[in-house]
Amino acid sequence: MNKKKLIVVGSTGVIGKKVVDLLGEDYQIIEVNRSSGDYKLDMKDAISVDEMFKRIGKFEALISTSGFGRWASMDEMSIQDYHYGLQSKLMGQVNLVLIGRKYAHSGTTFVLTSGLLAQHPMPGSTSLSMINAGIEAFVRAAALEMGDKRVNVVSPSFAKETMEMMGIDSSTGIPAIEFAKLYKQAIEDGKSGIVYSKIKE
Ligand SMILES: NC(=O)c1ccc[n+]([C@@H]2O[C@H](COP(=O)([O-])OP(=O)(O)OC[C@H]3O[C@@H](n4cnc5c(N)ncnc54)[C@H](OP(=O)(O)O)[C@@H]3O)[C@@H](O)[C@H]2O)c1
């Protein structure tokens, strides 16, 4: 039996790797990153995104665990830093939906990534809080126009592995595999316009 095709943009990242581990058995995964994978692109570039969908053809789901926004105080952030984050994490992911929906078939699901900073800001998070809230607002509104396709978003909190990489106390972190389970739920439970999140109990 042919497996369903799942595009994972950001497949080599802390969270993306766990998504591939969890879903690799059931789906034919197409890995997409800037520097490695089955297909290389920068999702900021709409023309490359369009080219990728043309090349890949029919797909059943797309998960994006990618994009960058700088974490720094307003004093340290330049206007360019804000623009870069908006182009990368916000518009990069929006590109995937806006362009991908033209190539998607009935039932295709898109799952983007925001982050807990949308609702729980911290000093240094002005850029990421703005970007994450923007992604969630886009998803809720876009779901109303997706017809027989779906779009959802996973909002991770701090992953344990990321805290370890940063050398900070990871006792409050959540293993990234727990976020991967939310992406699975977001493509398989038939809903649209939902923000999936998990916080430490
Ligand atoms: N980890 C956490 O604790 C945490 C918490 C809350 C939210 N998040 C969000 O979750 C997402 C994934 O986080 P992560 O920690 O797993 O990230 P990560 O380890 O930095 O990995 C990012 C992944 O995305 C790819 N990528 C980055 N920019 C791209 C672009 N413009 N076009 C195509 N691919 C791109 C990277 O590969 P290349 O470098 O090869 O392109 C890499 O595979 C991010 O949006 C992050 O803000 C993470």
Side-chain angles (χ1 to χ4, degrees):
M1 200 185 74
N2 280 346
K3 287 183 180 176
K4 289 181 175 174
K5 216 184 261 183
L6 166 62
I7 302 170
V8 180
V9 184
S11 67
T12 55
V14 171
I15 296 175
K17 269 193 272 192
K18 299 294 177 187
V19 167
V20 172
D21 287 350
L22 183 69
L23 295 170
E25 190 99 328
D26 295 336
Y27 293 83
Q28 179 198 342
I29 296 191
I30 317 278
E31 297 195 41
V32 180
N33 304 286
R34 282 171 306 186
S35 52
S36 65
D38 303 305
Y39 199 98
K40 294 191 194 98
L41 62 63
D42 187 329
M43 64 181 180
K44 297 199 298 302
D45 177 2
I47 292 169
S48 303
V49 171
D50 193 84
E51 195 54 41
M52 172 190 76
F53 284 116
K54 268 195 202 116
R55 289 264 299 275
I56 289 176
K58 189 177 186 299
F59 65 101
E60 277 75 24
L62 178 146
I63 290 174
S64 163
T65 52
S66 55
F68 176 80
R70 184 169 179 216
W71 181 305
S73 71
M74 286 195 285
D75 287 341
E76 292 164 311
M77 289 281 291
S78 67
I79 298 289
Q80 287 75 16
D81 288 331
Y82 284 99
H83 279 284
Y84 187 87
L86 289 168
Q87 286 308 315
S88 175
K89 186 169 176 180
L90 177 61
M91 280 313 298
Q93 296 195 90
V94 168
N95 280 341
L96 298 174
V97 176
L98 291 184
I99 300 165
R101 64 193 274 271
K102 292 191 292 171
Y103 296 94
H105 291 71
S106 175
T108 299
T109 307
F110 296 82
V111 188
L112 307 186
T113 298
S114 59
L116 194 69
L117 293 170
Q119 285 78 29
H120 300 278
M122 294 170 69
S125 80
T126 53
S127 173
L128 279 164
S129 292
M130 170 175 71
I131 290 166
N132 290 343
I135 294 163
E136 293 177 8
F138 169 78
V139 163
R140 288 194 184 96
L144 304 175
E145 298 184 32
M146 290 292 280
D148 56 8
K149 296 145 201 159
R150 300 187 290 117
V151 59
N152 291 307
V153 54
V154 169
S155 172
S157 53
F158 236 144
K160 202 172 190 54
E161 294 87 339
T162 301
M163 295 171 108
E164 284 163 3
M165 278 164 54
M166 292 169 71
I168 57 177
D169 174 17
S170 65
S171 56
T172 57
I174 294 184
I177 188 68
E178 296 303 320
F179 302 129
K181 291 175 189 168
L182 297 178
Y183 293 89
K184 178 173 161 60
Q185 190 183 350
I187 56 176
E188 293 182 350
D189 74 1
K191 295 180 182 164
S192 193
I194 304 292
V195 180
Y196 294 83
S197 62
K198 181 170 182 64
I199 49 169
K200 188 98 176 158
E201 278 121 34

